[in-house]
Amino acid sequence: VRRHQVDRLLGVGDKRETSHVGRDSLARQFVKDFSAEWLDLDQLDFTQPDRKLYRNYDPIVRMAMLDETHEFLVDMVLEDRPIKNLVAADYTYLNSRLCRYYKLEQDVSQGIQKIDVSEVSHRGGLLTQGSILKVTANGSATSPVVRGAWVAERILGMKIPPPPEGVPAIEPDIRGAATVREQLAKHSNDESCASCHRQMDPFGFAMESFDPAGQWRSHYFAVKKGRVKLGAKVDSSGQLPDGQYFADIDELKRVLASQPEKIARGLASHLIVYGTGGELSFSDRQAIDQIVTTAQETEYGFRSLLKSVVTSPLFVEK
């Protein structure tokens, strides 16, 4: 009964609505509500990109970014796409304005539509979508720590503890005298800091190839004597806690996609918290593992995982 109700509430299989808009309106409402909490999209307007540095960002681009993520997730839900697509899809949803903003050459007519993206574009998956890149930046600079912690917590469901008291935050050097990576190397010499930074910073380093406004970059900006110039070259390579190296965001996406059970476990955890309002505890780990195992046959399809969550004892007992 609960599995049927999931389909009903998402509008799946409802033959009365044949248009794309009618068919997915219920799913879109779920996606908007869930992603606001899960992906921090409700904080999209918390900061605004510096107009002097990122002149192409405007309200139209901002809305298109949000639409991209929402449409991508609606498709994930309705088509029961494999969970690995969250990090390594070879498509996204764009309109003509966002396509130009991303500097892609696809021919996009009016309205947002599904677009195949090649690896050359570096797009595809949540980690390269403008809404995510913006919400994980402060408007003028990026931080591998902030973005890395976001990937660890939101995509992989890891628990990152707050920094020890008395440890200063890393502030990007807008003069271009030092890269964030160089600052973090010194900051992480403290073993109490290093244990957490090793888990999350590599994800953030890979995302450094995107600026605070969600556009691709090869160099940082440096502000010298009030003038904006190209600064240090971006180094988006890193090493994951399990020892795997990656050269850039494209290689990181492939590594993450090869471990779909970790992504599924992270999503299941967030669905439980969203659906029940209760935080997960150590004793819930076995129940989460069972939820993930149940959805394995569909390559951890998004909707299959949602049904596995809803039909688990944890969902009704927590």
Side-chain angles (χ1 to χ4, degrees):
V1 171
R2 274 180 274 167
R3 290 173 64 86
H4 171 72
Q5 292 303 321
V6 169
D7 285 338
R8 182 183 68 83
L9 292 171
L10 292 175
V12 176
D14 189 350
K15 303 302 183 181
R16 293 172 298 174
E17 297 285 1
T18 57
S19 70
H20 179 70
V21 174
R23 183 175 67 91
D24 64 16
S25 59
L26 294 174
R28 180 173 286 102
Q29 189 59 57
F30 161 70
V31 160
K32 287 183 177 180
D33 293 341
F34 177 53
S35 63
E37 181 176 315
W38 168 39
L39 303 178
D40 296 326
L41 293 186
D42 56 352
Q43 300 177 31
L44 188 64
D45 296 326
F46 187 74
T47 62
Q48 292 298 322
D50 189 326
R51 290 290 296 172
K52 294 181 180 179
L53 298 176
Y54 311 107
R55 298 178 181 178
N56 293 328
Y57 181 86
D58 58 31
I60 297 176
V61 167
R62 178 259 182 205
M63 182 58 69
M65 286 178 171
L66 202 55
D67 288 343
E68 175 188 16
T69 301
H70 287 158
E71 294 296 330
F72 176 79
L73 292 175
V74 167
D75 176 79
M76 288 286 296
V77 171
L78 292 180
E79 303 301 328
D80 203 20
R81 304 287 187 192
I83 208 70
K84 64 181 181 181
N85 285 17
L86 288 179
V87 295
D90 58 2
Y91 62 90
T92 190
Y93 281 79
L94 305 174
N95 61 13
S96 57
R97 180 70 179 87
L98 192 56
C99 204
R100 291 196 304 272
Y101 185 78
Y102 285 168
K103 298 181 180 178
L104 303 181
E105 297 180 354
Q106 281 90 337
D107 182 17
V108 179
S109 59
Q110 291 186 356
I112 194 163
Q113 57 188 273
K114 188 176 182 179
I115 299 295
D116 292 332
V117 290
S118 66
E119 188 172 296
V120 177
S121 73
H122 309 292
R123 300 290 173 174
L126 292 175
L127 305 190
T128 64
Q129 292 181 5
S131 63
I132 303 304
L133 295 165
K134 182 183 178 301
V135 84
T136 55
N138 68 7
S140 60
T142 58
S143 167
V145 178
V146 173
R147 282 179 166 174
W150 187 93
V151 174
E153 294 176 342
R154 301 300 171 182
I155 302 300
L156 302 177
M158 299 166 58
K159 292 291 185 181
I160 303 296
E165 293 185 8
V167 176
I170 293 292
E171 295 294 337
D173 185 350
I174 62 172
R175 298 168 301 170
T179 66
V180 177
R181 185 185 288 267
E182 291 169 341
Q183 295 179 68
L184 279 173
K186 298 178 181 179
H187 180 76
S188 300
N189 285 337
D190 186 334
E191 186 55 35
S192 63
C193 298
S195 59
C196 287
H197 281 283
R198 279 195 294 264
Q199 295 184 64
M200 60 186 183
D201 289 0
F203 306 127
F205 287 140
M207 297 171 72
E208 283 292 275
S209 290
F210 296 94
D211 66 28
Q215 290 187 300
W216 179 263
R217 65 183 175 187
S218 60
H219 290 74
Y220 294 101
F221 284 133
V223 180
K224 297 181 179 180
K225 297 181 180 181
R227 306 183 71 175
V228 179
K229 298 182 178 180
L230 284 182
K233 186 176 181 179
V234 172
D235 179 2
S236 57
S237 64
Q239 182 181 14
L240 297 174
D242 62 4
Q244 291 191 77
Y245 287 92
F246 58 86
D248 51 29
I249 184 65
D250 298 313
E251 287 194 4
L252 175 65
K253 290 194 295 182
R254 285 195 291 270
V255 171
L256 292 177
S258 70
Q259 304 169 340
E261 68 282 353
K262 292 185 178 181
I263 304 172
R265 187 172 288 105
L267 177 58
S269 299
H270 285 289
L271 285 168
I272 284 290
V273 172
Y274 174 77
T276 67
E279 292 295 327
L280 293 174
S281 62
F282 182 81
S283 61
D284 296 325
R285 292 182 61 183
Q286 186 174 356
I288 293 295
D289 289 342
Q290 183 57 49
I291 289 171
V292 172
T293 299
T294 302
Q296 187 174 8
E297 291 184 0
T298 62
E299 294 187 87
Y300 309 105
F302 197 112
R303 193 168 81 252
S304 296
L305 192 65
L306 176 58
K307 289 182 178 181
S308 185
V309 165
V310 171
T311 56
S312 69
L314 190 60
F315 183 77
V316 294
E317 296 173 0
K318 195 166 184 62

